Amino acid sequence: RRCNLTACSSKMHPMWQGPLAVPGGDRQSPIDIVVRKSVLDTELKPLKTTYDPKTCQQIWNNGYSFLVEYDDTTDKNTLKGGPLQDTFRLCQFHFHWGETNDWGSEHTVDRRLFPAELHLVHWNADRYSLFEEAVMEDNGLAVIGVFLKVGKRHEGLQKLVDALPTIRHKDSVVEFTCFDPGCLLPANTDDYWTYHGSLTTPPLTESVTWIVMKQHIEVSHDQLAVFRSLLFTSAEEEVQKSMVNNFRVQQPLRGRTVRSSFT
Ligand SMILES: NCCOCCOCCNC(=O)c1ccc(S(N)(=O)=O)cc1
Ligand SMILES: [Zn+2]
C-alpha cells in the first residue's frame, strides 16, 4: 500500500511536503479514478499521436524526475483527437515512481497503485506560441498518463535506461537523440479516462486536460531499479538523496466528473 501521509512525508522529497492542495484549487491532480463513477462519453474520439524520433534533443535530471525533451518549435510531434479540440505539441515526457514496486504512480484506479507512471506533456499550439504561456491557461496543456507494471523488459525503454547513469545528479544534461515516445504508449490507446486537472508539481497550475490510459505498459524490475539509482541532489551536495517517491498525494475531486472513452 502507499505509505500513509505522515510516513510518506517524512521519506518524501521536501517538494512533496509542500502545499498538498493549492489554496482555492478546485481542479488539482493527481486523483483516484473511481471506475464505476466515470461517465462514458460517446463523443470522445480516438487519440491521434504523431511523433518524430529525430526531434528528440536531450535527457536531463531536473531534481524532481528525469525529462526527455523534444523540439517543439514545429508541428512534428502532435497530439489531436480524444477530448481535445485543438492540436497539442509534445514538449517532454518524464516519469514518477516509488522506492518499491508497491507504489509510485500519481493517479490510481479504484485505489490501485502502480509502481510508476509516465507523463507525456503537450501544449496547445493552436492558441499559444510557447509552452510557458500555455502552462498558465486552463486549456493550455494535455498530458497523457500511462501506468507502468513490473513484468517483461521493455525493449524500447532500454536506450533511455542506459542513459540514466550519465544524468545521476540534479541539473545534469546529456544529448539524447532518435527516441520515439510512441514506443512507450500501450497497444490500445482508444480506452482512456479524461478529466480537467493540474500540474502535479509546482507551480501546480490548473491548465491540464488529463488523458489517463486504461492499458498499462510493462517494464522489467531491473529497468525500474535504474530509475531509483538517480539522485534528487546535485553533485556538490554532501548528502545524496535517491530519487524515489517523486509522486504527489491524491487530491480531492471537488465535484469533477471523470469521463471514459469506453464501457
Ligand atoms: N517556475 C515558475 C513558473 O513556471 C511555469 C512553468 O512551469 C514549468 C515547470 N513544470 C512543468 O513543466 C511540469 C510539466 C508537467 C507536470 S506533470 N507531472 O503534471 O505532468 C508537472 C510540471
Ligand atoms: Zn508528471
Side-chain angles (χ1 to χ4, degrees):
R1 295 299 309 146
R2 181 188 293 261
C3 49
N4 65 56
L5 206 50
T6 43
C8 243
S9 56
S10 65
K11 275 186 288 195
M12 287 164 84
H13 185 265
M15 197 264 279
W16 277 273
Q17 292 163 15
L20 297 184
V22 177
D26 55 4
R27 52 173 282 193
Q28 288 290 293
S29 294
I31 60 168
D32 176 46
I33 295 167
V34 182
V35 174
R36 70 186 184 291
K37 289 191 179 165
S38 63
V39 178
L40 170 67
D41 180 346
T42 52
E43 305 276 300
L44 286 173
K45 298 179 180 52
L47 288 186
K48 278 186 290 191
T49 56
T50 307
Y51 296 135
D52 176 359
K54 294 192 295 303
T55 59
C56 187
Q57 291 181 321
Q58 60 189 21
I59 184 170
W60 68 291
N61 177 332
N62 72 347
Y64 301 139
S65 180
F66 63 90
L67 310 185
V68 177
E69 294 190 318
Y70 286 76
D71 168 15
D72 62 0
T73 58
T74 71
D75 261 349
K76 288 254 178 70
N77 300 306
T78 56
L79 166 62
K80 292 192 265 200
L84 306 171
Q85 310 307 325
D86 297 324
T87 297
F88 288 68
R89 277 185 200 163
L90 175 72
C91 61
Q92 52 105 331
F93 69 80
H94 62 274
F95 298 80
H96 302 262
W97 59 90
E99 65 191 284
T100 81
N101 292 339
D102 297 335
W103 64 76
S105 62
E106 297 213 300
H107 291 89
T108 50
V109 179
D110 290 342
R111 291 283 166 210
R112 176 183 178 191
L113 293 152
F114 292 83
E117 184 172 334
L118 159 65
H119 290 159
L120 294 139
V121 183
H122 308 74
W123 56 276
N124 189 328
D126 281 350
R127 294 176 189 246
Y128 310 107
S129 46
L130 284 175
F131 169 81
E132 284 70 20
E133 281 171 44
V135 76
M136 311 310 278
E137 305 297 330
D138 73 356
N139 63 351
L141 303 184
V143 181
I144 297 177
V146 182
F147 295 115
L148 274 63
K149 269 185 76 176
V150 175
K152 65 183 188 313
R153 179 182 141 108
H154 192 297
E155 291 311 325
L157 186 72
Q158 195 54 36
K159 173 181 167 131
L160 184 155
V161 168
D162 290 339
L164 297 185
T166 65
I167 54 163
R168 280 197 80 207
H169 289 100
K170 180 177 182 229
D171 296 331
S172 39
V173 190
V174 291
E175 186 188 41
F176 192 70
T177 56
C178 299
F179 187 85
D180 173 13
C183 85
L184 298 176
L185 291 174
N188 169 11
T189 57
D190 290 347
D191 292 356
Y192 57 83
W193 295 281
T194 182
Y195 76 97
H196 294 292
S198 73
L199 300 183
T200 65
T201 63
L204 301 172
T205 36
E206 298 182 334
S207 55
V208 182
T209 297
W210 278 96
I211 301 167
V212 179
M213 292 291 128
K214 177 190 174 201
Q215 193 175 58
H216 61 268
I217 60 170
E218 278 192 21
V219 302
S220 70
H221 176 88
D222 291 352
Q223 287 177 316
L224 207 44
V226 179
F227 284 24
R228 302 188 185 107
S229 71
L230 291 172
L231 300 168
F232 279 130
T233 42
S234 54
E236 302 75 44
E237 294 177 65
E238 331 52 78
V239 180
Q240 300 293 330
K241 292 198 187 87
S242 293
M243 184 179 277
V244 293
N245 300 330
N246 57 356
F247 54 81
R248 189 189 191 194
V249 292
Q250 275 140 20
Q251 302 299 309
L253 195 54
R254 291 270 186 280
R256 286 173 283 177
T257 298
V258 176
R259 291 180 289 160
S260 68
S261 67
F262 64 98
T263 46

